[in-house]
Amino acid sequence: MKKIFFPLILSIVMLFSAACATGASNSGPATIHLTDQNFAQASITVNKGSSLTVIDDTATPHTISNGSWSGADAKPAQEKGAPTVSGLQFNGHDTQSIGPFATAGTYHLYCSIHQGMNLTVIVQ
Ligand SMILES: [Cu+2]
């Protein structure tokens, strides 16, 4: 009996913890990671009034600004309501904060070092 019940109880506890962790991350501050040549995800949702924590997971430097890549062309552009991000420097294995994002909307950030390294920030 014990040999059957213990794994069952353990998996129920693990499921519960996972559900709780997911719920907490929705209301907490938004975090995005940087890989060696891109954002770890193409878009992220940020709660209005919150900042975005950006974590460079590798030794690769990144330089983040308002705008986006269109093919091989970097197009600097700051949307109305977007916080100013002008050449925010990551030196590798470091963390910076962008924001706060005071206005709901869709904003674009890019890395001027890596072609095609775009992030869409959805503030709601
Ligand atoms: Cu980069």
Side-chain angles (χ1 to χ4, degrees):
M1 275 299 250
K2 269 184 186 169
K3 275 182 183 169
I4 298 165
F5 268 106
F6 184 68
L8 185 69
I9 289 165
L10 192 67
S11 48
I12 288 168
V13 169
M14 283 169 74
L15 267 175
F16 234 93
S17 319
C20 290
T22 307
S25 73
N26 287 342
S27 57
T31 300
I32 189 148
H33 292 261
L34 307 178
T35 68
D36 61 345
Q37 27 190 321
N38 214 335
F39 292 96
Q41 52 193 91
S43 70
I44 186 146
T45 302
V46 176
N47 292 327
K48 195 169 89 171
S50 294
S51 293
L52 174 62
T53 300
V54 185
I55 302 171
D56 188 355
D57 286 335
T58 75
T60 306
H62 297 279
T63 303
I64 311 295
S65 299
N66 300 95
S68 59
W69 286 95
S70 174
D73 300 320
K75 306 255 169 132
Q78 184 175 357
E79 297 93 347
K80 191 168 184 280
T84 299
V85 186
S86 181
L88 180 64
Q89 186 63 45
F90 289 83
N91 297 312
H93 297 295
D94 49 354
T95 300
Q96 309 254 20
S97 180
I98 294 178
F101 289 83
T103 310
T106 301
Y107 307 107
H108 296 91
L109 298 171
Y110 77 110
C111 174
S112 53
I113 298 173
H114 300 108
Q115 184 183 327
M117 183 167 169
N118 291 320
L119 176 68
T120 301
V121 180
I122 299 150
V123 179
Q124 57 188 23

